[in-house]
mmCIF file of all heavy atoms in Angstrom:
data_model
loop_
_atom_site.group_PDB
_atom_site.id
_atom_site.type_symbol
_atom_site.label_atom_id
_atom_site.label_comp_id
_atom_site.label_asym_id
_atom_site.label_seq_id
_atom_site.Cartn_x
_atom_site.Cartn_y
_atom_site.Cartn_z
ATOM 1 N N THR A 1 20.510 17.896 -7.524
ATOM 2 C CA THR A 1 21.409 18.987 -7.187
ATOM 3 C C THR A 1 21.347 19.418 -5.722
ATOM 4 O O THR A 1 20.490 18.885 -4.983
ATOM 5 C CB THR A 1 21.019 20.239 -8.089
ATOM 6 O OG1 THR A 1 19.707 20.648 -7.633
ATOM 7 C CG2 THR A 1 21.072 19.949 -9.535
ATOM 8 N N HIS A 2 22.204 20.320 -5.385
ATOM 9 C CA HIS A 2 22.123 20.860 -3.989
ATOM 10 C C HIS A 2 20.834 21.586 -3.743
ATOM 11 O O HIS A 2 20.291 21.582 -2.695
ATOM 12 C CB HIS A 2 23.312 21.831 -3.723
ATOM 13 C CG HIS A 2 24.612 21.099 -3.661
ATOM 14 N ND1 HIS A 2 24.935 20.175 -2.668
ATOM 15 C CD2 HIS A 2 25.676 21.209 -4.444
ATOM 16 C CE1 HIS A 2 26.140 19.721 -2.889
ATOM 17 N NE2 HIS A 2 26.659 20.359 -3.973
ATOM 18 N N GLU A 3 20.255 22.202 -4.877
ATOM 19 C CA GLU A 3 18.965 22.831 -4.775
ATOM 20 C C GLU A 3 17.870 21.836 -4.461
ATOM 21 O O GLU A 3 16.932 22.157 -3.663
ATOM 22 C CB GLU A 3 18.582 23.571 -6.061
ATOM 23 C CG GLU A 3 19.421 24.836 -6.287
ATOM 24 C CD GLU A 3 20.837 24.619 -6.799
ATOM 25 O OE1 GLU A 3 21.158 23.448 -7.175
ATOM 26 O OE2 GLU A 3 21.626 25.566 -6.829
ATOM 27 N N PHE A 4 17.963 20.624 -4.930
ATOM 28 C CA PHE A 4 17.033 19.565 -4.559
ATOM 29 C C PHE A 4 17.109 19.232 -3.102
ATOM 30 O O PHE A 4 16.077 19.199 -2.401
ATOM 31 C CB PHE A 4 17.384 18.311 -5.395
ATOM 32 C CG PHE A 4 16.690 17.072 -4.878
ATOM 33 C CD1 PHE A 4 15.465 16.669 -5.478
ATOM 34 C CD2 PHE A 4 17.196 16.257 -3.884
ATOM 35 C CE1 PHE A 4 14.802 15.511 -5.003
ATOM 36 C CE2 PHE A 4 16.524 15.111 -3.398
ATOM 37 C CZ PHE A 4 15.369 14.761 -3.948
ATOM 38 N N LEU A 5 18.309 19.176 -2.510
ATOM 39 C CA LEU A 5 18.525 18.932 -1.152
ATOM 40 C C LEU A 5 17.901 20.032 -0.322
ATOM 41 O O LEU A 5 17.215 19.812 0.654
ATOM 42 C CB LEU A 5 20.014 18.704 -0.838
ATOM 43 C CG LEU A 5 20.650 17.506 -1.470
ATOM 44 C CD1 LEU A 5 22.148 17.547 -1.234
ATOM 45 C CD2 LEU A 5 20.095 16.193 -0.974
ATOM 46 N N ASP A 6 18.154 21.273 -0.722
ATOM 47 C CA ASP A 6 17.612 22.450 -0.045
ATOM 48 C C ASP A 6 16.086 22.388 -0.069
ATOM 49 O O ASP A 6 15.402 22.684 0.993
ATOM 50 C CB ASP A 6 18.089 23.748 -0.712
ATOM 51 C CG ASP A 6 19.524 24.055 -0.418
ATOM 52 O OD1 ASP A 6 20.196 23.316 0.422
ATOM 53 O OD2 ASP A 6 20.106 24.989 -1.017
ATOM 54 N N TYR A 7 15.506 22.135 -1.236
ATOM 55 C CA TYR A 7 14.027 22.175 -1.435
ATOM 56 C C TYR A 7 13.380 21.217 -0.488
ATOM 57 O O TYR A 7 12.280 21.492 0.053
ATOM 58 C CB TYR A 7 13.756 21.860 -2.891
ATOM 59 C CG TYR A 7 12.304 21.976 -3.273
ATOM 60 C CD1 TYR A 7 11.832 23.195 -3.768
ATOM 61 C CD2 TYR A 7 11.387 20.948 -3.104
ATOM 62 C CE1 TYR A 7 10.500 23.369 -4.112
ATOM 63 C CE2 TYR A 7 10.064 21.144 -3.473
ATOM 64 C CZ TYR A 7 9.585 22.317 -3.964
ATOM 65 O OH TYR A 7 8.286 22.483 -4.325
ATOM 66 N N PHE A 8 14.011 20.037 -0.290
ATOM 67 C CA PHE A 8 13.365 19.037 0.599
ATOM 68 C C PHE A 8 13.981 19.031 2.015
ATOM 69 O O PHE A 8 13.663 18.153 2.784
ATOM 70 C CB PHE A 8 13.529 17.667 -0.070
ATOM 71 C CG PHE A 8 12.643 17.535 -1.286
ATOM 72 C CD1 PHE A 8 13.197 17.666 -2.549
ATOM 73 C CD2 PHE A 8 11.335 17.315 -1.152
ATOM 74 C CE1 PHE A 8 12.405 17.502 -3.658
ATOM 75 C CE2 PHE A 8 10.462 17.192 -2.279
ATOM 76 C CZ PHE A 8 11.025 17.344 -3.544
ATOM 77 N N GLY A 9 14.850 19.984 2.315
ATOM 78 C CA GLY A 9 15.373 20.138 3.624
ATOM 79 C C GLY A 9 16.310 19.001 4.065
ATOM 80 O O GLY A 9 16.316 18.562 5.202
ATOM 81 N N LEU A 10 17.124 18.534 3.095
ATOM 82 C CA LEU A 10 18.039 17.394 3.362
ATOM 83 C C LEU A 10 19.507 17.932 3.415
ATOM 84 O O LEU A 10 19.836 18.795 2.613
ATOM 85 C CB LEU A 10 17.934 16.354 2.268
ATOM 86 C CG LEU A 10 16.535 15.758 2.031
ATOM 87 C CD1 LEU A 10 16.556 14.868 0.721
ATOM 88 C CD2 LEU A 10 16.059 14.969 3.218
ATOM 89 N N ALA A 11 20.286 17.370 4.266
ATOM 90 C CA ALA A 11 21.674 17.800 4.379
ATOM 91 C C ALA A 11 22.508 17.037 3.259
ATOM 92 O O ALA A 11 23.321 17.666 2.657
ATOM 93 C CB ALA A 11 22.285 17.458 5.713
ATOM 94 N N THR A 12 22.168 15.717 3.070
ATOM 95 C CA THR A 12 22.836 14.907 2.102
ATOM 96 C C THR A 12 21.817 13.987 1.479
ATOM 97 O O THR A 12 20.747 13.788 2.022
ATOM 98 C CB THR A 12 24.080 14.127 2.588
ATOM 99 O OG1 THR A 12 23.519 13.110 3.497
ATOM 100 C CG2 THR A 12 25.036 14.992 3.380
ATOM 101 N N LYS A 13 22.287 13.380 0.384
ATOM 102 C CA LYS A 13 21.392 12.332 -0.254
ATOM 103 C C LYS A 13 21.117 11.185 0.709
ATOM 104 O O LYS A 13 20.068 10.539 0.679
ATOM 105 C CB LYS A 13 22.074 11.825 -1.495
ATOM 106 C CG LYS A 13 21.246 10.855 -2.272
ATOM 107 C CD LYS A 13 21.962 10.364 -3.516
ATOM 108 C CE LYS A 13 21.169 9.163 -4.000
ATOM 109 N NZ LYS A 13 21.829 8.383 -4.990
ATOM 110 N N ASP A 14 21.994 10.922 1.683
ATOM 111 C CA ASP A 14 21.831 9.821 2.635
ATOM 112 C C ASP A 14 20.658 10.083 3.575
ATOM 113 O O ASP A 14 20.182 9.184 4.226
ATOM 114 C CB ASP A 14 23.109 9.671 3.495
ATOM 115 C CG ASP A 14 24.286 9.248 2.697
ATOM 116 O OD1 ASP A 14 24.077 8.629 1.561
ATOM 117 O OD2 ASP A 14 25.398 9.543 3.090
ATOM 118 N N ASP A 15 20.119 11.359 3.607
ATOM 119 C CA ASP A 15 18.979 11.645 4.479
ATOM 120 C C ASP A 15 17.646 11.267 3.766
ATOM 121 O O ASP A 15 16.556 11.430 4.416
ATOM 122 C CB ASP A 15 18.946 13.175 4.789
ATOM 123 C CG ASP A 15 20.080 13.542 5.742
ATOM 124 O OD1 ASP A 15 20.630 12.619 6.396
ATOM 125 O OD2 ASP A 15 20.450 14.716 5.700
ATOM 126 N N LEU A 16 17.689 10.807 2.487
ATOM 127 C CA LEU A 16 16.484 10.344 1.882
ATOM 128 C C LEU A 16 15.912 9.125 2.644
ATOM 129 O O LEU A 16 16.658 8.377 3.196
ATOM 130 C CB LEU A 16 16.782 9.906 0.443
ATOM 131 C CG LEU A 16 16.975 10.981 -0.585
ATOM 132 C CD1 LEU A 16 17.535 10.409 -1.886
ATOM 133 C CD2 LEU A 16 15.698 11.718 -0.900
ATOM 134 N N PRO A 17 14.628 8.988 2.683
ATOM 135 C CA PRO A 17 14.010 7.857 3.444
ATOM 136 C C PRO A 17 14.470 6.524 2.778
ATOM 137 O O PRO A 17 14.669 6.483 1.543
ATOM 138 C CB PRO A 17 12.514 8.006 3.271
ATOM 139 C CG PRO A 17 12.285 9.381 2.724
ATOM 140 C CD PRO A 17 13.596 9.857 2.167
ATOM 141 N N ASP A 18 14.616 5.518 3.533
ATOM 142 C CA ASP A 18 15.011 4.205 3.020
ATOM 143 C C ASP A 18 13.849 3.713 2.174
ATOM 144 O O ASP A 18 12.687 3.633 2.608
ATOM 145 C CB ASP A 18 15.222 3.177 4.185
ATOM 146 C CG ASP A 18 15.560 1.798 3.727
ATOM 147 O OD1 ASP A 18 16.159 1.680 2.594
ATOM 148 O OD2 ASP A 18 15.246 0.918 4.418
ATOM 149 N N ILE A 19 14.106 3.371 0.912
ATOM 150 C CA ILE A 19 13.122 3.057 -0.047
ATOM 151 C C ILE A 19 12.272 1.785 0.397
ATOM 152 O O ILE A 19 11.104 1.725 0.122
ATOM 153 C CB ILE A 19 13.697 2.867 -1.451
ATOM 154 C CG1 ILE A 19 12.601 2.777 -2.538
ATOM 155 C CG2 ILE A 19 14.541 1.669 -1.608
ATOM 156 C CD1 ILE A 19 12.066 4.131 -2.929
ATOM 157 N N SER A 20 12.935 0.864 1.075
ATOM 158 C CA SER A 20 12.236 -0.356 1.467
ATOM 159 C C SER A 20 11.166 -0.079 2.478
ATOM 160 O O SER A 20 10.177 -0.768 2.611
ATOM 161 C CB SER A 20 13.198 -1.378 1.977
ATOM 162 O OG SER A 20 13.874 -0.901 3.161
ATOM 163 N N SER A 21 11.329 1.022 3.275
ATOM 164 C CA SER A 21 10.330 1.404 4.304
ATOM 165 C C SER A 21 9.096 1.988 3.622
ATOM 166 O O SER A 21 8.065 2.114 4.257
ATOM 167 C CB SER A 21 10.909 2.362 5.303
ATOM 168 O OG SER A 21 11.148 3.623 4.715
ATOM 169 N N LEU A 22 9.231 2.420 2.397
ATOM 170 C CA LEU A 22 8.147 3.075 1.659
ATOM 171 C C LEU A 22 7.303 2.118 0.883
ATOM 172 O O LEU A 22 6.169 2.371 0.421
ATOM 173 C CB LEU A 22 8.664 4.171 0.705
ATOM 174 C CG LEU A 22 9.428 5.272 1.359
ATOM 175 C CD1 LEU A 22 10.019 6.176 0.322
ATOM 176 C CD2 LEU A 22 8.626 6.081 2.381
ATOM 177 N N LEU A 23 7.844 0.910 0.632
ATOM 178 C CA LEU A 23 7.159 -0.124 -0.162
ATOM 179 C C LEU A 23 6.124 -0.873 0.716
ATOM 180 O O LEU A 23 6.362 -1.143 1.892
ATOM 181 C CB LEU A 23 8.139 -1.159 -0.730
ATOM 182 C CG LEU A 23 9.166 -0.530 -1.706
ATOM 183 C CD1 LEU A 23 10.210 -1.575 -2.099
ATOM 184 C CD2 LEU A 23 8.456 0.016 -2.913
ATOM 185 N N PRO A 24 4.930 -1.270 0.116
ATOM 186 C CA PRO A 24 3.954 -1.976 0.911
ATOM 187 C C PRO A 24 4.449 -3.344 1.287
ATOM 188 O O PRO A 24 5.246 -4.008 0.519
ATOM 189 C CB PRO A 24 2.703 -2.059 -0.025
ATOM 190 C CG PRO A 24 3.282 -1.782 -1.387
ATOM 191 C CD PRO A 24 4.505 -1.023 -1.225
ATOM 192 N N LYS A 25 4.101 -3.759 2.468
ATOM 193 C CA LYS A 25 4.572 -5.069 2.916
ATOM 194 C C LYS A 25 3.449 -6.090 2.752
ATOM 195 O O LYS A 25 2.373 -5.934 3.224
ATOM 196 C CB LYS A 25 4.953 -5.003 4.413
ATOM 197 C CG LYS A 25 6.163 -4.137 4.648
ATOM 198 C CD LYS A 25 6.613 -4.162 6.058
ATOM 199 C CE LYS A 25 7.853 -3.460 6.243
ATOM 200 N NZ LYS A 25 7.832 -2.055 6.584
ATOM 201 N N ASP A 26 3.749 -7.169 1.998
ATOM 202 C CA ASP A 26 2.759 -8.205 1.713
ATOM 203 C C ASP A 26 2.959 -9.233 2.821
ATOM 204 O O ASP A 26 4.009 -9.850 2.952
ATOM 205 C CB ASP A 26 3.009 -8.790 0.305
ATOM 206 C CG ASP A 26 1.944 -9.722 -0.060
ATOM 207 O OD1 ASP A 26 0.868 -9.737 0.567
ATOM 208 O OD2 ASP A 26 2.188 -10.411 -1.082
ATOM 209 N N GLU A 27 1.924 -9.486 3.577
ATOM 210 C CA GLU A 27 1.981 -10.441 4.706
ATOM 211 C C GLU A 27 2.270 -11.852 4.202
ATOM 212 O O GLU A 27 3.023 -12.619 4.809
ATOM 213 C CB GLU A 27 0.728 -10.418 5.556
ATOM 214 C CG GLU A 27 0.540 -9.242 6.318
ATOM 215 C CD GLU A 27 -0.713 -8.485 5.951
ATOM 216 O OE1 GLU A 27 -1.635 -9.034 5.401
ATOM 217 O OE2 GLU A 27 -0.712 -7.279 6.175
ATOM 218 N N ASP A 28 1.724 -12.268 3.077
ATOM 219 C CA ASP A 28 1.838 -13.601 2.529
ATOM 220 C C ASP A 28 2.313 -13.526 1.066
ATOM 221 O O ASP A 28 1.470 -13.384 0.239
ATOM 222 C CB ASP A 28 0.563 -14.385 2.682
ATOM 223 C CG ASP A 28 0.699 -15.825 2.248
ATOM 224 O OD1 ASP A 28 1.840 -16.233 1.964
ATOM 225 O OD2 ASP A 28 -0.313 -16.525 2.183
ATOM 226 N N PRO A 29 3.602 -13.563 0.861
ATOM 227 C CA PRO A 29 4.110 -13.418 -0.519
ATOM 228 C C PRO A 29 3.560 -14.560 -1.457
ATOM 229 O O PRO A 29 3.561 -14.378 -2.638
ATOM 230 C CB PRO A 29 5.591 -13.441 -0.388
ATOM 231 C CG PRO A 29 5.876 -14.042 0.926
ATOM 232 C CD PRO A 29 4.672 -13.797 1.790
ATOM 233 N N GLU A 30 3.210 -15.685 -0.885
ATOM 234 C CA GLU A 30 2.726 -16.788 -1.725
ATOM 235 C C GLU A 30 1.214 -16.735 -1.993
ATOM 236 O O GLU A 30 0.648 -17.596 -2.611
ATOM 237 C CB GLU A 30 3.078 -18.136 -1.002
ATOM 238 C CG GLU A 30 4.563 -18.341 -0.769
ATOM 239 C CD GLU A 30 5.262 -18.478 -2.126
ATOM 240 O OE1 GLU A 30 4.762 -19.113 -3.007
ATOM 241 O OE2 GLU A 30 6.423 -17.905 -2.198
ATOM 242 N N LYS A 31 0.547 -15.679 -1.506
ATOM 243 C CA LYS A 31 -0.907 -15.554 -1.658
ATOM 244 C C LYS A 31 -1.291 -15.550 -3.116
ATOM 245 O O LYS A 31 -0.756 -14.860 -3.950
ATOM 246 C CB LYS A 31 -1.341 -14.239 -0.998
ATOM 247 C CG LYS A 31 -2.861 -14.095 -0.974
ATOM 248 C CD LYS A 31 -3.180 -12.826 -0.243
ATOM 249 C CE LYS A 31 -4.705 -12.659 -0.213
ATOM 250 N NZ LYS A 31 -5.079 -11.452 0.452
ATOM 251 N N ASP A 32 -2.334 -16.386 -3.428
ATOM 252 C CA ASP A 32 -2.796 -16.471 -4.811
ATOM 253 C C ASP A 32 -3.579 -15.204 -5.149
ATOM 254 O O ASP A 32 -4.512 -14.834 -4.462
ATOM 255 C CB ASP A 32 -3.700 -17.737 -4.896
ATOM 256 C CG ASP A 32 -4.259 -17.932 -6.295
ATOM 257 O OD1 ASP A 32 -3.892 -17.214 -7.190
ATOM 258 O OD2 ASP A 32 -5.065 -18.864 -6.450
#
């Protein structure tokens, strides 16, 4: 809701952090 946006200080939903930047980066995806 708009209250959610207010609570977190966001103007729009587009101001949410990019989810990919929050995920851990695995240096070697093929690592056993």
Side-chain angles (χ1 to χ4, degrees):
T1 64
H2 291 296
E3 287 79 10
F4 169 92
L5 297 172
D6 288 351
Y7 188 90
F8 290 100
L10 304 170
T12 68
K13 184 182 167 194
D14 297 335
D15 292 338
L16 285 168
D18 179 27
I19 193 80
S20 62
S21 68
L22 302 174
L23 298 174
K25 293 185 173 94
D26 189 12
E27 289 119 24
D28 184 9
E30 299 296 319
K31 185 176 180 179
D32 182 4

